[in-house]
Amino acid sequence: MKLRVLGFFLICLAVGFFIVMQARITNGQKLYVSAKTITDYETTILSETEDMDRINRLIEETGKKLQEYEALADKGDSDLKDKLLEELSYYKLISGDTAVRGEGVVVTVDDGTRELYEGEDPNTVLVHDMDILFIINELNRSGAEALSVNGQRIVNDTSIACSGYTIRINDQFFARPFEIRAIGDSKRMAAALIGPEGYGTLLQDYGVIFRLTIREDLIIPKYTEPQSYKYMTTAKEEE
Amino acid sequence: MKKFSGMIVIGLLALFIGLVISIQITTTQGSDQGGLIPVAKAQGYLEDLKKVRAEKDAALEELNKLEERLAQIEKEKSDEDFFLKGIVSDLEKFKMAAGVVDVKGPGVIVTVDDPLPTEETSDGYSVIMLRYELLLSLVNKMKDAGAEAISINGQRIIVTTEISLAGDNVNINTVPTAPPYIIKAIGNPDTIESTLTIRFGIIEQMKSYGLRISIDKKEEIQIPRYSGIIKYRYAEPVEEEE
């Protein structure tokens, strides 16, 4: 009888021990980190290094500009004025305040017209804001330089919002069909969208109407609203 | 009694074998991604990261000095000439619109991190990276709520910014990024926060994937400039015809 009690006691002890061990191992993150954490660190380091390289390139560029400025400042006002006007047109160009032309693609997307399968969600053949976002993202990925949707120039703070039957872009409402224009390497952009894995192909598979044409020359209008900001100011430490 | 003691011994042995097997299983789980790495090694990476960040800060400081000098020349000259003054103030405006200046203002900071690794889910892949369209949508919602400047992990979002899965990384402005994702937006903090946290909204959608998200409203946040050089090769300005 005593031996039986002792045996029972031992088993209890072992079970308790076992539970403690198990708990310790699953909490072992304190001792060990997962491989993912390490790769995340590696990527972050890579990212910061790359960013630093770009900043160094900017330093080079700015240094050159500074030399130019200094040389011009000594010469006279009219030369500096020309330089500043040149700068101004550059920043107008990259902030979307100038109409641009060049080679590019025109993408037209429209709601699908095919019959639905029984019980199929009609949303599968409709165009959504996410679709437009995805197409723009794909175009950007393949080097688009300027974009417009239904004639609205896309600028830094343009949002594309689905609101019922219409899509709101730059606070103006548009309904289907949607025409996205992009200036850039037209072959690369076309390949990214209509390749076998492309987003355009995916949309076509769903039954959404998706057409892409390559254009030798197309014009994208400038952003018409004044770009003014209520909340943000330059972060320069001002006196 | 004797036959009972034999059973107890066997029982104990079985228990220990079971224990050994279970330990073995828990330690080999997830090891296909390289297994567990001691914290000490991770700390080494942390040190490296700190070093790189310090270097980057130094480079940024140098850049700021150069830009200050440029601004000084512009200012000196524009004080003499009324016409130049107009150009310089226009320049400031368009630089800001192009996203090539550091900016500050009130706004929100959203932190998105992968779900805590559990026994069932192998921690080899990142949920937020596979679902990078959530980031795309989040940024779009912020813009819709009137955000004026947005950055993800220090990368300023400008018009041509792409968020794309390239291999194992999510590239933003062609710079690889990794979680946790810190998304900063300058704008009306209340509007942005409510837009994001609306029921069945983007934050709820993200949380349904198990992502850990926190939103902080801040009086002042800083957002860095776009660090690349913008140069158009295809797009040419069109002469304005009045």
Side-chain angles (χ1 to χ4, degrees), chain A residues 56-206:
Chain A
N56 281 330
R57 246 173 282 154
L58 269 179
I59 289 175
E60 222 173 273
E61 196 103 326
T62 320
K64 259 188 232 154
K65 208 160 98 182
L66 185 61
Q67 276 178 355
E68 228 174 303
Y69 266 46
E70 274 166 345
L72 287 173
D74 289 340
K75 263 204 211 150
D77 274 1
S78 68
D79 291 326
L80 188 69
K81 199 191 284 172
D82 287 345
K83 176 73 192 157
L84 282 175
L85 280 173
E86 194 187 299
E87 284 281 292
L88 185 63
S89 57
Y90 167 72
Y91 285 112
K92 267 189 165 177
L93 178 69
I94 63 169
S95 64
D97 213 74
T98 311
V100 286
R101 74 187 316 158
E103 67 160 286
V105 293
V106 178
V107 174
T108 316
V109 275
D110 200 350
D111 298 340
T113 48
R114 70 168 167 84
E115 291 289 316
L116 295 180
Y117 305 121
E118 215 179 306
E120 194 186 1
D121 185 359
N123 274 328
T124 50
V125 295
L126 299 182
V127 181
H128 291 91
D129 50 354
M130 268 322 269
D131 295 327
I132 309 274
L133 265 187
F134 253 111
I135 292 169
I136 291 176
N137 194 43
E138 281 302 298
L139 289 168
N140 276 338
R141 200 174 138 186
S142 30
E145 291 172 353
L147 295 151
S148 75
V149 179
N150 285 21
Q152 277 296 317
R153 178 73 174 265
I154 307 295
V155 291
N156 283 357
D157 46 13
T158 300
S159 67
I160 289 157
C162 210
S163 49
Y165 307 105
T166 53
I167 283 183
R168 195 174 72 242
I169 301 159
N170 289 344
D171 289 327
Q172 297 197 35
F173 291 90
F174 297 96
R176 53 158 285 267
F178 301 100
E179 190 198 67
I180 303 161
R181 288 167 174 233
I183 291 179
D185 187 339
S186 52
K187 287 199 187 90
R188 204 173 134 207
M189 292 192 291
L193 280 172
I194 52 176
E197 302 265 293
Y199 196 70
T201 318
L202 185 81
L203 282 179
Q204 276 172 345
D205 287 347
Y206 274 119

Side-chain angles (χ1 to χ4, degrees), chain A residues 18 33 47 54 90 137 160 168, chain B residues 19 37 140 144 173 176 230:
Chain A
F18 167 76
V33 292
S47 154
R54 292 164 70 143
Y90 167 72
N137 194 43
I160 289 157
R168 195 174 72 242
Chain B
L19 178 70
I37 291 121
N140 188 45
D144 200 21
N173 287 340
I230 307 171

Side-chain angles (χ1 to χ4, degrees), chain A residues 41 44-45 48, chain B residues 43-57:
Chain A
Y41 269 132
T44 314
I45 291 171
E48 295 285 352
Chain B
Q43 243 137 26
Y45 278 101
L46 200 63
E47 288 299 309
D48 283 352
L49 186 59
K50 269 187 196 150
K51 220 161 46 186
V52 173
R53 284 210 168 127
E55 270 176 54
K56 188 181 138 188
D57 282 346

